[in-house]
Amino acid sequence: MGAVAGAVTPMNEPINVTAAPADEPEIAPILRPSLHDEVVSRVRDMIVEGRLAAGTRIHEGRLCEQLGVSRTPLREALKVLATEGLVDLLRNRGAVVRALTPKDMRDMLRVIGRLEQLAGELSCAEASDAEIAAVDQMHRRMLEHFAAREMLEYFKLNQAIHAAIVRMAHNETLQAMHDSLQKRIKRIRFLPHDLGHESEQPVAEHERMMQALRARDGVLLGRLLNEHLDMTWVRISHALGLDRKEG
């Protein structure tokens, strides 16, 4: 049968692609962490926490011994972290933890702030009630970790909340751009905590963001997210003493 004249293709469906048969069974993915994923996660955490300091060379032999792995999975993990902007792979010198300039930090936070502003506006219109409830649960667990001063766990949930809000916008282009930058700024967003500048202010900002999300106030949520990223730069500047240098 030919297409119905005047039919409209839904925005979320590809054009001119034959749909799979209705009775075709769904294939569930195997959700099992691999050695590769575990090594990537462990080394990423070491960089984010500052145990592998910015600008220093990664000694593969020592790190392999600490992690209990061979050089092959470690080198594959370093390639992934290089794509995330956390390490630089140098010819004949191995991997070096990437050091960002203050301008690099400020530029990335400005861009990601605008991306999250758009995500906040879209997510309030596009997200399901179940998605919002899931983020609310993540927020509650984040508060528990902060109260217990479990800073790495707090930080991971903090970042996961930002990523979840972006996903709820249901915009693949926006999500791809955000994911790319989010990976690169993991380390700098942890800096205030690492340098002993834990503050209740980011938690209060997250609480206001959650109130806006629960109310589905996209304009307010977008503005709060952008302001949150601006304040992240202020906190980083203070932690690094940049504000004192400017004064």
Side-chain angles (χ1 to χ4, degrees):
M1 179 182 290
V4 178
V8 178
T9 301
M11 287 291 289
N12 62 348
E13 291 187 8
I15 300 174
N16 294 330
V17 175
T18 303
D23 59 351
E24 182 175 314
E26 293 186 2
I27 301 176
I30 299 174
L31 302 178
R32 182 175 59 193
S34 65
L35 175 62
H36 169 76
D37 293 335
E38 181 66 21
V39 175
V40 171
S41 177
R42 292 282 297 278
V43 178
R44 184 191 290 121
D45 284 350
M46 294 175 76
I47 293 173
V48 169
E49 292 181 272
R51 286 183 284 166
L52 293 174
T56 60
R57 179 174 173 272
I58 295 176
H59 296 277
E60 291 185 4
R62 184 188 308 161
L63 191 53
C64 285
E65 184 177 345
Q66 292 172 336
L67 298 176
V69 299
S70 66
R71 288 179 183 263
T72 297
L74 177 60
R75 287 175 176 172
E76 292 302 313
L78 292 175
K79 290 178 183 178
V80 172
L81 297 175
T83 67
E84 295 182 2
L86 292 175
V87 302
D88 290 316
L89 301 179
L90 307 178
R91 180 176 296 182
N92 301 323
R93 289 184 56 197
V96 175
V97 180
R98 177 172 292 180
L100 298 174
T101 67
K103 186 177 187 306
D104 291 333
M105 300 179 191
R106 184 67 181 110
D107 288 349
M108 284 191 286
L109 287 168
R110 278 178 171 164
V111 173
I112 204 167
R114 300 309 185 272
L115 292 176
E116 291 196 5
Q117 180 170 7
L118 176 58
E121 294 170 358
L122 293 175
S123 64
C124 286
E126 300 292 336
S128 67
D129 291 342
E131 287 176 315
I132 292 177
V135 175
D136 199 13
Q137 286 298 317
M138 292 167 63
H139 173 70
R140 296 177 192 280
R141 294 200 309 274
M142 184 195 77
L143 296 180
E144 292 172 359
H145 286 305
F146 185 81
R149 287 301 185 266
E150 298 166 342
M151 299 313 294
L152 183 58
E153 292 78 6
Y154 156 79
F155 172 76
K156 287 182 176 180
L157 274 174
N158 184 310
Q159 298 302 285
I161 289 169
H162 285 265
I165 291 174
V166 174
R167 283 197 305 273
M168 291 192 304
H170 298 295
N171 184 309
E172 292 184 2
T173 302
L174 174 61
Q175 184 174 339
M177 295 176 68
H178 183 268
D179 285 350
S180 176
L181 279 175
Q182 180 87 328
K183 291 171 182 175
R184 296 190 65 192
I185 67 171
K186 283 179 183 289
R187 170 61 184 147
I188 63 176
R189 291 181 77 160
F190 191 76
L191 273 175
H193 312 298
D194 183 45
L195 297 175
H197 291 263
E198 293 99 348
S199 168
E200 301 286 343
Q201 185 177 353
V203 176
E205 291 167 8
H206 263 256
E207 181 57 41
R208 289 193 292 272
M209 286 154 44
M210 283 306 308
Q211 290 172 0
L213 179 60
R214 295 183 197 109
R216 291 186 179 269
D217 189 335
V219 174
L220 177 58
L221 177 58
R223 178 172 61 80
L224 292 173
L225 281 162
N226 191 26
E227 291 175 354
H228 179 64
L229 270 295
D230 284 342
M231 288 306 301
T232 298
W233 170 245
V234 172
R235 288 186 281 271
I236 289 171
S237 297
H238 180 64
L240 295 176
L242 299 176
D243 49 355
R244 294 188 292 276
K245 293 176 183 178
E246 291 174 357

